[in-house]
Amino acid sequence: MNDLIQTVAVYALPVLFAITLHEAAHAYAARYFGDSTAYMLGRMSLNPIKHIDPLGTILIPILLYFSTGGAFLFGYAKPVPINFGQLRKPKRDMAWVALAGPAANLFMALVWFVLYQFSVTFYGPEEFFALMAKAGVLVNLALFAFNLFPIPPLDGGRILTSLLPNKYAYQFAKIEPYGFFIVLALLFIKIGGVSLLYLWVNPVRSFALDLLQFITLPISFLLR
C-alpha cells in the first residue's frame, strides 16, 4: 500500500500534465489550421478534468504499471474532436494536427529533464521532486513514442495517412476502427521475450532521450 501511494504521488502530476497538454495541443493546432470544433466544445483547455478518461487515464496506466512491473506505461485521454474536413488543407494539415500531441510530450519531457538535472544536483536523485521529474521524463517519452506508432487512430497513423498518396491513404485509413486492437495484439505478442510493440517504442524512446541529453549538454556542463 505504501508503494502504491508513493507511486501515485510521484506519477500523478506528470501523467495529468502529459495527457492534458497532449490533447490541448491537438485542439490548438486544429484551430490554427481552421477547425474550431474542439474549441467550441471546450476542449482547447489546460483543465485536466476536460480531458480525463476514467479507463484510459486512470485504470489502464495503473494496471499496466503493476502488470509489467513499471516496464511499460501508457494511457490515453478523451480524444479531441476534430473535423478534418474543416481544415484549410485537410490532408496536409491533418499531419500537423496529429504531430502537435507528440511534440507537446517531447517538449514536456525536455522541461522535466532539465528539472531533474537541477533536482539531482542540488538535492539528490532520491528526493521527491527528482523522482517526480524523472517520472515526467519517462511518461512523456513513452507517450511520445507510443503515439507515433504508425497505426491509425494513433497520431503516427494519421501522419502516415497524410503522407501517403491519396489512393493508398484511403485504403490505409480503413484500418482505423481496428487500430486499437492491433496495438493491443502487438503489445502482448512477443518474439524472443520482447513485445512487438516494444520493438517500436524502445528505439524511438531511446532516440528521444539521446536528443534531450544533447540539447541539455550546456546545462549538464554548468551543473558539474
Side-chain angles (χ1 to χ4, degrees), residues 15 55-66 73-76:
V15 168
L55 179 64
T57 311
I58 300 173
L59 184 59
I60 287 180
I62 290 176
L63 290 177
L64 279 176
Y65 179 85
F66 286 103
L73 183 68
F74 81 91
Y76 57 87

Side-chain angles (χ1 to χ4, degrees), residues 56 60-62 64 72-76 142-143 146 180 183-184 187 197:
I60 287 180
I62 290 176
L64 279 176
F72 185 75
L73 183 68
F74 81 91
Y76 57 87
L143 287 176
F146 174 74
F180 185 69
V183 171
L184 282 180
L187 174 62
L197 186 60

Side-chain angles (χ1 to χ4, degrees), residues 34 65 71 80-81 97 103 113 122 127 168 201 207 211 219:
Y65 179 85
V80 166
V97 173
F113 191 72
F122 294 107
E127 188 267 338
Y168 300 108
V201 171
F207 172 79
L211 179 62
I219 297 176

Side-chain angles (χ1 to χ4, degrees), residues 18-181:
I19 63 167
T20 298
L21 293 180
H22 179 103
E23 297 301 330
H26 284 314
Y28 276 99
R31 191 183 187 203
Y32 178 82
F33 287 106
D35 176 33
S36 297
T37 304
Y39 172 73
M40 291 187 294
L41 293 175
R43 294 297 305 280
M44 200 173 82
S45 170
L46 297 180
N47 180 359
I49 296 176
K50 293 183 178 293
H51 303 290
I52 287 176
D53 180 280
L55 179 64
T57 311
I58 300 173
L59 184 59
I60 287 180
I62 290 176
L63 290 177
L64 279 176
Y65 179 85
F66 286 103
S67 64
T68 66
F72 185 75
L73 183 68
F74 81 91
Y76 57 87
K78 289 188 293 186
V80 166
I82 298 172
N83 185 344
F84 293 105
Q86 291 187 8
L87 299 174
R88 286 189 288 274
K89 294 185 178 180
K91 191 168 183 294
R92 182 203 67 181
D93 295 343
M94 175 173 63
W96 293 112
V97 173
L99 187 60
N105 288 125
L106 185 61
F107 175 74
M108 282 185 282
L110 174 62
V111 173
W112 282 115
F113 191 72
V114 172
L115 292 175
Y116 175 75
Q117 289 178 312
F118 277 95
S119 297
V120 169
T121 300
F122 294 107
Y123 301 106
E126 298 304 318
E127 188 267 338
F128 177 78
F129 192 75
L131 295 175
M132 180 183 290
K134 182 179 179 180
V137 175
L138 295 176
V139 167
N140 279 286
L141 289 185
L143 287 176
F144 170 78
F146 174 74
N147 279 287
L148 283 180
F149 191 75
I151 292 288
L154 295 179
D155 298 324
R158 296 199 186 281
I159 294 170
L160 181 56
T161 301
S162 176
L163 296 175
L164 288 172
N166 289 338
K167 175 183 176 180
Y168 300 108
Y170 176 75
Q171 296 298 325
F172 183 66
K174 287 183 177 180
I175 70 174
E176 182 165 333
Y178 317 103
F180 185 69
F181 300 103

